Amino acid sequence: MTDYYIEHPKIFVSVDCIVFGFEENKLKLLIGKRKMDPGRGEWSLYGGFVRQNESLTDAAKRVLYELTGLNDIYMQQVRAFGDVNRDPGERVISVAYCALINVQDYDDRLLDKYGVEWVEMNHLPKLYSDHNQMVDSAVKLLRLHVSSKPLSFNLLPELFTLTQLQKVYEGILGQEIDKRNFRKRVKMMDFIEKTDAIDKVTSKRGAALYRFNEKAYLEDPTFKL
């Protein structure tokens, strides 16, 4: 530390992570009860303060790894939240990050370790401070990009059914999609490949399994669904 800017008050900077997952055909959010004051016992996103040797991105990656045990997951900065009285403890500016993960990759032992759980988006409780506002901003961002970027594949296993894919889109968009039109548009996309595998777990009749071909997408990223 130096003696520069000593005439100015110090402000805390934190990152809060909005972790979405897809399970049982539902879009879910990873939240838990706060274990510290202020707000102890209130539902909350998982976050942490930015350390002196960290960039914002590095701090978010650290917090996400602590919470999920996963590296190289989809992560995007949502925006900063800096209302003067947003945190009753101190003057804290928080930068929210949105992450998308496949729940099947998540180690359930971390749920107990950090006291968090997957909650359906349609049943979110009141969250600490402005965390509901953070979630709303993240959802708006996803809705803005979901039709032009292959975000949904970050929420799905490597092999998925078209029903699962449609449910992801419906979960993000918050509305039902016409099944016939959806499948017609999906089948026109070279980067969504039909495999020889059959899903006999979630589909009684046995549904075809598909996969995302990243190479094909990068060769022609003019994606619109």
Side-chain angles (χ1 to χ4, degrees), residues 4 6 53 72 87 93 169 186 192 206 210 221 223:
Y4 298 120
I6 59 175
N53 62 342
D72 300 322
D87 192 304
I93 294 175
Y169 276 91
V186 164
I192 301 180
Y210 292 74
F223 174 67

Side-chain angles (χ1 to χ4, degrees), residues 44-214:
S44 172
L45 298 172
Y46 191 84
F49 289 101
V50 179
R51 296 171 179 171
Q52 297 228 355
N53 62 342
E54 287 182 320
S55 67
L56 284 171
T57 300
D58 288 341
K61 287 181 178 179
R62 170 178 57 81
V63 171
L64 278 172
Y65 181 74
E66 289 176 0
L67 180 61
T68 68
L70 302 173
N71 283 311
D72 300 322
I73 60 179
Y74 174 87
M75 180 185 79
Q76 183 175 4
Q77 187 181 118
V78 178
R79 70 177 182 88
F81 293 79
D83 286 353
V84 174
N85 298 316
R86 62 170 300 275
D87 192 304
E90 289 285 354
R91 178 76 170 96
V92 181
I93 294 175
S94 182
V95 181
Y97 282 81
C98 169
L100 306 177
I101 70 172
N102 174 16
V103 175
Q104 292 183 8
D105 295 334
Y106 186 80
D107 188 345
D108 286 343
R109 290 175 295 183
L110 295 176
L111 296 176
D112 292 330
K113 181 176 181 180
Y114 294 109
V116 294
E117 60 185 81
W118 292 105
V119 177
E120 289 183 22
M121 287 295 296
N122 292 333
H123 297 93
L124 280 187
K126 172 68 174 67
L127 302 178
Y128 173 74
S129 183
D130 52 6
H131 288 191
N132 283 97
Q133 186 180 352
M134 291 182 180
V135 175
D136 290 342
S137 295
V139 171
K140 289 178 181 177
L141 187 66
L142 291 181
R143 289 176 179 174
L144 182 65
H145 295 306
V146 71
S147 294
S148 59
K149 297 181 180 180
L151 302 181
S152 57
F153 301 107
N154 296 283
L155 294 163
L156 293 166
E158 182 179 357
L159 298 180
F160 52 86
T161 66
L162 292 185
T163 296
Q164 288 175 314
L165 181 61
Q166 180 174 337
K167 291 296 182 181
V168 168
Y169 276 91
E170 291 177 340
I172 293 175
L173 296 174
Q175 62 185 29
E176 292 185 0
I177 301 173
D178 181 77
K179 179 178 178 180
R180 183 180 302 175
N181 289 336
F182 179 82
R183 297 194 173 206
K184 184 185 299 183
R185 295 169 72 177
V186 164
K187 290 178 180 179
M188 294 172 60
M189 300 171 186
D190 293 336
F191 55 86
I192 301 180
E193 296 181 337
K194 184 178 181 179
T195 71
D196 294 329
I198 299 295
D199 172 31
K200 295 183 179 180
V201 177
T202 63
S203 173
K204 294 181 179 180
R205 299 176 58 184
L209 288 168
Y210 292 74
R211 65 184 168 204
F212 173 59
N213 187 326
E214 184 177 7

